[in-house]
Amino acid sequence: IKCTWKVGYICKWSHIVTTGNYFLADYARKFCNDVRVIPTVVDTINTHNRIKDQQAHRMVIGWTGTFTNFVQLDTIIPVIRKLQEVYSFEFLVIADKDPAYCDIQYTFKKWNIKTEIDDLLNIDIGVMPLKNTILEQGKCAFKAIQYMSLGIPCVVSDVGANRDVIVDGVNGFIVKDANAWIEKLSLLLQS
């Protein structure tokens, strides 16, 4: 249904191609000589214009996205389960559908454009897990950018544009495996 083969033709027929990251730009350059990278941004004047109060309540690890990305979130559910055995925190999922997890404690909040920023500000630690496939290489680190714009530290998979957006240990943590997820989330939960 998606006809992914047509993307190359669209790039070939285009005078200029803009992409959100360098992985996509490298692909587009196979078909078009004028390719420009415009990184993903958020509006810090009108929407993402507040900073998280980290002293407000019980710790919350959170994720935001659509049900089509639950496959990414699923990769850290065992990590969340292990952390819940040691630490007291809430796990918040903001999405268009409830993921219906049975094996962890979590809170589901239905995504709503009108409450998006307030909902995100409930998160103390944002997560952006990704598998490392071609599809994920094309993602543009939007979740991490949203979290950081609101002063929410994030832990992200070592995949794609996450490497361009996060300076490990400075503005977030980049992790490669389950042990690193546990280590970095534990560090933040204790801090």
Side-chain angles (χ1 to χ4, degrees):
I1 293 175
K2 289 199 172 193
C3 302
T4 55
W5 53 265
K6 70 182 175 183
V7 176
Y9 285 101
I10 293 169
C11 291
K12 181 179 175 183
W13 298 328
S14 299
H15 179 68
I16 298 170
V17 174
T18 59
T19 68
N21 68 36
Y22 295 101
F23 176 81
L24 297 174
D26 289 344
Y27 174 81
R29 283 189 188 100
K30 295 176 186 176
F31 307 97
C32 180
N33 292 327
D34 195 351
V35 177
R36 303 169 191 192
V37 176
I38 302 177
T40 299
V41 297
V42 293
D43 181 350
T44 58
I45 302 298
N46 297 304
T47 57
H48 291 73
N49 57 6
R50 294 184 282 168
I51 297 296
K52 168 70 179 170
D53 175 5
Q54 291 291 349
Q55 305 301 320
H57 52 68
R58 178 180 178 205
M59 291 292 288
V60 176
I61 296 175
W63 178 90
T64 186
T66 65
F67 79 96
T68 58
N69 283 309
F70 286 166
V71 66
Q72 310 299 335
L73 181 58
D74 291 346
T75 64
I76 65 162
I77 294 306
V79 167
I80 298 300
R81 185 181 322 110
K82 285 183 182 181
L83 290 170
Q84 287 178 337
E85 293 171 2
V86 179
Y87 301 101
S88 175
F89 67 92
E90 178 183 349
F91 184 57
L92 175 62
V93 175
I94 304 168
D96 52 340
K97 294 183 180 180
D98 188 332
Y101 291 122
C102 300
D103 51 350
I104 64 164
Q105 295 176 9
Y106 73 100
T107 302
F108 167 69
K109 174 74 176 169
K110 187 164 180 62
W111 183 86
N112 182 323
I113 188 70
K114 293 178 183 175
T115 62
E116 179 181 33
I117 301 305
D118 288 330
D119 296 340
L120 287 170
L121 286 168
N122 286 311
I123 297 172
D124 295 293
I125 303 165
V127 293
M128 186 177 175
L130 291 174
K131 294 181 176 188
N132 194 1
T133 70
I134 290 175
L135 177 66
E136 286 78 17
Q137 292 290 327
K139 291 190 175 282
C140 296
F142 183 61
K143 287 175 184 53
I145 292 165
Q146 280 192 298
Y147 300 142
M148 290 188 301
S149 72
L150 298 170
I152 301 167
C154 58
V155 182
V156 303
S157 294
D158 186 16
V159 176
N162 286 351
R163 297 177 188 128
D164 299 324
V165 171
I166 301 296
V167 178
D168 190 47
V170 176
N171 61 352
F173 291 110
I174 298 174
V175 296
K176 295 183 183 213
D177 58 32
N179 289 335
W181 275 102
I182 291 170
E183 176 190 347
K184 297 309 181 185
L185 287 171
S186 294
L187 179 69
L188 289 170
L189 285 167
Q190 295 169 23
S191 175

